[in-house]
Amino acid sequence: MSSYSKETKSTKFARLPLSTSGPLNCALTGSALLTSPYYNKGSAFPLTERDDFNLYALLPPNVQTLESQVERAYEQYSNCHDALAKNTFMTSMKGQNIVLYYKLIQDHLKEMFSIIYTPTEGEAIQNFSRLFRRPEGCFLNILDQNRTHDNLAQWGNPEAIDYIVVSDGEEILGIGDQGVGAVLISVAKLVLTTLCAGIHPSRTLPVVLDCGTDNYQLLHDELYLGLRRPRVRGKEYDEFVDRFIQSARELYPRAYIHFEDFGLGNAKRILDKYRHEIACFNDDIQGTGCITLAAIMSGLHVSKLKLEEIRVIIFGSGTAGIGIADQIRDAIAVETGKSKEDSVKQIWCVDKPGLLLKSQGEDLTQGQRPYARDDNDWHKKEHRDLHSVVIHVKPHVLIGTSTCPKAFTEEIVKEMAKHVERPIIFPLSNPTRLHEADPQELYIWTKGKALIATGSPSPPVEYDGKHYEVAECNNSTAFPGIGLGAVLSRCRLLSDGMLVAAIKVIADQSPALQDPAKGLVPDITNVREISVRVAKAVIKQAVGEGLAREKEIPDNDGELKEWVREQMWKPRYRQLVRA
């Protein structure tokens, strides 16, 4: 049986440039073909291709299926002694055979997700310079700005790149400044876009902007591979980021740019500067905001509340917290017709000094300022601790992004539950040890009435003889589908309306809509189907707003879904023909 015998049925969209049906042209032969991860099939090359591409003496004679290869690879993976060794094994496989790599993960998604992404990828990033074997991605450094354009140009013609993830490595996965090791978070995010939404892996580009590092250990590590100097800031930094953006825009004008793990002082500032010029996205701000808002919307459906009615407290006003606040504000504005200024009045942000107030002036970040409350409104009201703010606000929703474990105390939760029938409580800080509350305790304190989502996987909870599933606010059910919609529509910009359209689709897939004891958002098990629906909604909104540049996008829902699916890369071997 040939390794590509299970091709999909013919489709009217098979001639699209990104179509995944039919044979694949290949100019490589012999050893060069076997060392190309995008074309290599290893022991699964059928006899006809072994003949056509001069592979007979280079492979053992037994032709195997992809399924057999997955079985062998999983056995090898299982024999790795710890999580980091498994991560390293998977990285090695990715450099050898892309199809096998993604098929193996797809078949064992829930088991392997924490290996290829957080928390294990964080450990790999911390050890980047010590585990380094071969480079992957584009390394740009701030001391060599004049080469930025030429360095970026090495990845092909203007049509070659669809999706770019870029990081400057200042704030990685809760482990802080990792310098040049940030290239691995760009790589990992692109793996998720392919795995979860079928972005073509050969059409992606991971980028690191090496601006130095303030990580003392890296600066004094002789094996460190990045710039061994303190992090550059200010005007020179801004010029470097702008040079990258303008070069990427000129070289790959159809590419979508995804910002990842920039520092608190830069993330929102950079997004705000460029989101009205190019199609771009910041997952720490918008991705976290989207999935959290989807969970809130599901919770509102269960509690029979409307978005324009809710009062929200966000505890922890950093990049993630303000990103969530922005998404809630924008959704209220889109859905109700209120101005953003009026929508902000439904959100109270609390940080280390307490409630954000206008009198805090220069101590507020650019992102925090719109949420700072008028001091006169809080005259003679205690506002320096979360409990006091909860007493006065009486929130429907309490969100934690503070990294302060156990901050949502029994006293605070019971105070909240006095005033709302179904308190919506999201302890989102990662990892699990930093959660603001334990789901088990939240159910006990609210007598099973709380609607809960967490930032890391949590086991089901038993309370009063009832079984409750705890949803994980996993960005991977949001950003890949949004990115797919942006790529396929070739949108000029990514608008608030497009994000809200994505959020509604995710919320509509909530298991809690059928059973309130189920999760508020879908998990990653069916993430590719969720991504199809998210992409479809994003594309329709882009067309409606006049932001889509792609021509001949189907207007029929059924055809649009087929059009999207046909352009999603799948981990299967396609027939190779000599180019």
Side-chain angles (χ1 to χ4, degrees), residues 311 313 385-396 398 408-421 423 425 442 445-446:
R311 297 180 296 276
I313 290 179
D385 63 273
L386 179 61
H387 182 228
S388 298
V389 177
V390 168
I391 289 173
H392 294 297
V393 173
K394 300 176 176 58
H396 302 90
L398 177 60
F408 296 169
T409 63
E410 181 177 1
E411 184 181 33
I412 288 170
V413 172
K414 285 186 172 179
E415 176 64 36
M416 182 182 179
K418 284 182 189 176
H419 307 286
V420 294
E421 179 65 23
I425 305 176
L442 291 176
W445 297 338
T446 63

Side-chain angles (χ1 to χ4, degrees), residues 105-122:
I105 300 172
Q106 190 177 83
D107 286 359
H108 302 276
L109 182 57
K110 295 205 79 167
E111 176 187 350
M112 293 186 171
F113 195 87
S114 64
I115 298 297
I116 62 165
Y117 193 50
T118 181
T120 312
E121 187 65 15

Side-chain angles (χ1 to χ4, degrees), residues 24 40 48 54 79 86-87 90 100 107 152 157 212 235 241 315 340 357 363 370 379 439 441 467 505 525 531 570:
L24 202 58
N40 182 28
T48 53
N54 301 324
N79 287 331
K86 290 177 177 178
N87 177 283
M90 295 302 293
L100 178 56
D107 286 359
L152 270 178
N157 62 50
K235 182 181 178 183
V241 172
F315 181 59
K340 289 188 178 183
L357 297 172
D363 291 333
H379 183 58
E441 293 180 332
H467 182 87
V505 168
T525 306
S531 291
K570 303 164 188 69

Side-chain angles (χ1 to χ4, degrees), residues 296 310-314 328 346-348 393 395-397 399:
I296 290 173
I310 64 170
R311 297 180 296 276
V312 182
I313 290 179
I314 298 175
I328 296 171
Q346 294 179 227
I347 305 166
W348 288 258
V393 173
H396 302 90
V397 182
I399 298 169

